[in-house]
Amino acid sequence: VDPYYFIYQAEKLGYHSQLIISGRNINESIPKHIVENTINKLIENEVLVKNANVAILGLTFKENTNDTRNSKVFNIIQLLNKSGINTIIVDPYIKSEEILSKYNASFSTFQELQDIDAIIIAVPHTQFKEISLVKMSQLFRDKKKKILIDVKSIFNSEDLEKYGYDYWRL
């Protein structure tokens, strides 16, 4: 469950598990990879990166829970903010005060989202899987530039193409 604990215990016994360490290094680099691809999609769609509005759906470590321990979404928020991007968080399992006190991000409900330039679906909460692509289309500032970053591949790529989304999935 905790690879860092496994690595620590293995090293105490004189073993150096390069496979586990390499896996951790890959996992640690994923937020940067997601942000780079989000920024690339913004640029490809001629959306100004600075002050772009990016909605992040999901903050928790696992779907349908309020546990944020080990969540890499916080890293995504920080990297987007460093790039001058406005981040708006939607997570039905988290209280807004918790987010606002820790990170420079706005908290919203899905119903309140508007003028979005890109959406990152980071956690596959059941509520997010049930969102219609037509309803999601209404959230975008420019209805012809609907950028969707589907980290957990919860949507069907053919459906996304049919509704005119420019999407990327991990």
Side-chain angles (χ1 to χ4, degrees), residues 40-169:
N40 287 340
K41 285 292 181 191
L42 290 167
I43 293 168
E44 288 171 15
N45 283 276
E46 299 178 349
V47 176
L48 291 176
V49 173
K50 188 170 178 65
N51 293 320
N53 292 326
V54 175
I56 301 175
L57 305 188
L59 184 65
T60 61
F61 181 67
K62 292 183 188 176
E63 62 271 10
N64 304 323
T65 179
N66 66 353
D67 187 1
T68 60
R69 292 175 297 168
N70 298 318
S71 174
K72 295 297 177 198
V73 182
F74 293 111
N75 301 81
I76 293 170
I77 294 167
Q78 289 176 319
L79 291 168
L80 288 170
N81 288 343
K82 281 183 182 178
S83 298
I85 294 172
N86 302 316
T87 52
I88 304 101
I89 311 304
V90 175
D91 195 310
Y93 293 92
I94 301 295
K95 294 184 179 2
S96 63
E97 302 82 36
E98 183 178 331
I99 295 169
L100 295 175
S101 67
K102 291 182 181 180
Y103 295 91
N104 183 24
S106 299
F107 191 79
S108 182
T109 65
F110 185 80
Q111 293 76 18
E112 295 170 328
L113 288 177
Q114 61 183 2
D115 295 328
I116 300 300
D117 296 303
I119 295 174
I120 299 174
I121 300 180
V123 182
H125 291 315
T126 301
Q127 293 94 322
F128 301 153
K129 291 179 182 179
E130 296 171 350
I131 297 170
S132 87
L133 293 175
V134 172
K135 187 172 185 175
M136 196 174 339
S137 295
Q138 298 167 354
L139 308 176
F140 288 91
R141 182 188 324 257
D142 185 337
K143 307 301 187 242
K144 294 178 183 170
K145 299 177 182 180
K146 299 179 291 201
I147 301 166
L148 180 66
I149 308 300
D150 190 3
V151 174
K152 298 293 186 173
S153 300
I154 66 173
F155 287 105
N156 179 303
S157 60
E158 292 171 359
D159 290 341
L160 292 167
E161 288 176 4
K162 185 169 73 174
Y163 287 102
Y165 282 84
D166 188 357
Y167 70 96
W168 177 86
R169 59 177 52 182

Side-chain angles (χ1 to χ4, degrees), residues 7-22:
I7 293 167
Y8 168 75
Q9 290 296 334
E11 288 180 351
K12 274 179 48 176
L13 297 170
Y15 297 102
H16 301 286
S17 178
Q18 292 302 316
L19 181 62
I20 301 293
I21 292 169
S22 294

